Amino acid sequence: MSFYTSLSGLKASQVDMASISHNLANVGTTGFKKSRAEFADVIASNLAVAPTQMVGSGTVVKGNRQQFGEGNLVQSSSSLDIAIAGDGFLALKPDPTKDGLTFTRNGSLRVDSNQFVTDAQGARLQVYPVDGSGNVVATTRASLTDLVLNGTSGKPAGTNNVTLGLNMNARSVVPSTTAFNRFDATSYNESIATTVYDGAGNPMTMTTYLKRTTAPVVTTPPAAEDLSSAWQAYSFVGDQPMVSGTPSTQAVTFQFDQQGKLAAAVETAFDSFMPASGVAQQQIKLTIPTSTESTTKPFKVATQAQDGIAVGRLQGVTINEKGIVTASYSNGDTKALGQVAIVNFSNSAGLRQMGNSNWQATGLSGDPSFASSGENGAGSLMSGMIEGSNVDITEELVSLIAAQRNFQANSKALDTSNQITRSILDLRA
């Protein structure tokens, strides 16, 4: 009997050491939860034996119980890294074609090629839907949806109008080169770059070159200075010259009076052209408003406007303390994409380990209870943080030494039982 009793102790010590070794191996695993082997004594009991005479028959492994204590929270540089302070799990969908969910404390997330937010294995983070104002629409399991980062925002519109309000220097000299050539800086006085957009919202550069065509008028004091001057504007979108009229001409002429004022706004509708992107033909009208004037001050662009609308490109993602995921775009748009779901269980120790710091609900764990950050004991969500393993190296090493001693003691008892048996067999009549 003692032989099998010691053997059960050996097996129990092996399980204990295996559990501790597993904990130590995952001390650096994000979101890992340690386990503890639990044992029970075995008693061969029957009614014929008095309670004071019963002898135990060893030990048996009752379970490898998971310990869901919170791990250390570590600062991260990614806003998509999230941690839960308190109880609760993040919900993930491993297979988008199926309804099954897995649950994790590992909030180290990333974006896949299809813009879905996933864990390292490609399981998609689940969120509650929100309306345009960021208000949560529903918080049930059926309402869960994949978190996807829309790469663009806004409806694009091609540029139709460009307005340039200028302050021209009345003392500018006439360029020495008579014929305009945009590659020759001596053939014009100033240049202005304006970002315009094609029909798909793609940016283009419209460059307008300004050339003076009349010489400054020199006046003798005390007479007022003559601020009159005539100018020509040449515009290009990329490498395409903007022309208008029949026959086609590129130069747009505007003239100031002696007081440096424009008699009327200059409006020129250029002929339609095909952008380099090849999206669609578009037409641009250039307006030089009456606010444009000729003064003795240096050249300056006073106002510069265009009516095209760019497509907003995703620039960043933030997650607030309520779990609301908000995307920001290059055109100034912000868009709420969903609220991170947090899941609780009545018995977390009953969850089935799936590896990769993921768990699955079982009959022992109970059905998942869906909540959100700060509600119903779900814990608080923190962005820019990840939860490390809850393994304490010192504690595990001490437990490992104790398990080793238990193994050695049971080995000694087994050896002693063997020696006693041998002594009995060696007895001579």
Side-chain angles (χ1 to χ4, degrees):
M1 178 67 72
S2 60
F3 182 90
Y4 292 103
T5 300
S6 298
L7 182 60
S8 69
L10 284 174
K11 291 181 177 180
S13 297
Q14 283 182 315
V15 172
D16 197 13
M17 288 189 289
S19 178
I20 295 169
S21 298
H22 182 66
N23 293 342
L24 289 171
N26 287 280
V27 68
T29 302
T30 304
F32 176 79
K33 299 303 176 185
K34 66 181 181 180
S35 299
R36 182 186 69 221
E38 296 182 342
F39 308 97
D41 61 330
V42 178
I43 299 294
S45 175
N46 62 71
L47 297 177
V49 179
T52 57
Q53 294 178 342
M54 289 191 296
V55 178
S57 300
T59 186
V60 64
V61 178
K62 296 296 290 183
N64 198 31
R65 189 176 181 84
Q66 299 177 82
Q67 307 297 303
F68 282 91
E70 191 174 316
N72 293 326
L73 300 182
V74 182
Q75 190 81 31
S76 167
S77 60
S78 173
S79 61
L80 279 179
D81 286 341
I82 51 179
I84 301 173
D87 297 332
F89 297 81
L90 302 174
L92 301 171
K93 180 176 282 189
D95 187 344
T97 64
K98 298 180 180 178
D99 190 44
L101 296 176
T102 59
F103 308 95
T104 187
R105 295 277 296 188
N106 182 0
S108 181
L109 304 171
R110 61 204 66 195
V111 183
D112 67 11
S113 58
N114 295 316
Q115 301 300 108
F116 289 99
V117 176
T118 71
D119 67 359
Q121 288 69 49
R124 297 176 180 177
L125 180 68
Q126 299 298 288
V127 296
Y128 302 124
V130 295
D131 60 20
S133 301
N135 300 312
V136 180
V137 176
T139 58
T140 63
R141 174 167 184 162
S143 67
L144 290 177
T145 183
D146 302 335
L147 176 58
V148 58
L149 304 182
N150 299 318
T152 60
S153 176
K155 185 177 181 180
T159 299
N160 293 316
N161 297 282
V162 174
T163 300
L164 297 176
L166 310 170
N167 179 77
M168 309 304 297
N169 185 354
R171 296 173 180 174
S172 297
V173 298
V174 177
S176 57
T177 304
T178 303
F180 167 75
N181 181 355
R182 67 188 180 116
F183 299 111
D184 183 358
T186 64
S187 67
Y188 58 88
N189 298 83
E190 308 290 348
S191 64
I192 308 164
T194 306
T195 300
V196 295
Y197 301 93
D198 65 14
N202 298 310
M204 307 178 291
T205 300
M206 176 176 171
T207 307
T208 301
Y209 300 89
L210 302 170
K211 176 182 179 180
R212 183 166 188 164
T213 58
T214 59
V217 178
V218 179
T219 58
T220 302
E225 186 170 358
D226 190 336
L227 302 176
S228 61
S229 59
W231 295 79
Q232 288 180 336
Y234 299 83
S235 295
F236 293 79
V237 174
D239 292 327
Q240 297 188 66
M242 298 291 98
V243 298
S244 63
T246 305
S248 296
T249 180
Q250 187 180 7
V252 175
T253 301
F254 56 102
Q255 188 164 353
F256 300 97
D257 60 20
Q258 290 185 345
Q259 286 73 44
K261 305 296 183 182
L262 283 178
V266 178
E267 298 182 349
T268 303
F270 296 119
D271 296 344
S272 297
F273 69 99
M274 177 63 74
S277 61
V279 173
Q281 290 274 343
Q282 74 182 95
Q283 187 178 33
I284 293 178
K285 181 174 76 172
L286 174 64
T287 299
I288 300 176
T290 54
S291 60
T292 296
E293 57 184 355
S294 176
T295 69
T296 57
K297 297 179 181 179
F299 170 80
K300 186 178 80 170
V301 179
T303 58
Q304 186 176 22
Q306 61 85 38
D307 59 357
I309 300 175
V311 175
R313 306 293 178 183
L314 182 65
Q315 286 191 320
V317 179
T318 59
I319 303 175
N320 66 14
E321 67 279 359
K322 292 295 184 182
I324 301 295
V325 183
T326 304
S328 57
Y329 298 86
S330 58
N331 61 355
D333 287 351
T334 58
K335 186 182 296 183
L337 305 178
Q339 183 185 39
V340 177
I342 299 182
V343 183
N344 273 332
F345 293 91
S346 57
N347 177 28
S348 299
L351 291 169
R352 176 178 285 109
Q353 298 183 67
M354 304 299 293
N356 298 312
S357 298
N358 288 340
W359 287 268
Q360 195 174 62
T362 67
L364 293 176
S365 68
D367 293 331
S369 173
F370 291 87
S372 55
S373 178
E375 297 179 356
N376 302 326
S380 301
L381 201 67
M382 295 183 291
S383 177
M385 305 282 285
I386 56 175
E387 181 184 1
S389 166
N390 68 346
V391 176
D392 185 313
I393 296 179
T394 303
E395 180 183 342
E396 296 300 317
L397 289 176
V398 171
S399 298
L400 185 61
I401 293 172
Q404 182 186 15
R405 295 303 184 203
N406 292 339
F407 187 90
Q408 290 173 337
N410 281 284
S411 297
K412 187 64 176 176
L414 187 62
D415 182 55
T416 301
S417 176
N418 181 56
Q419 290 179 17
I420 293 173
T421 303
R422 178 172 297 183
S423 297
I424 293 173
L425 293 175
D426 288 344
L427 288 176
R428 295 172 182 265

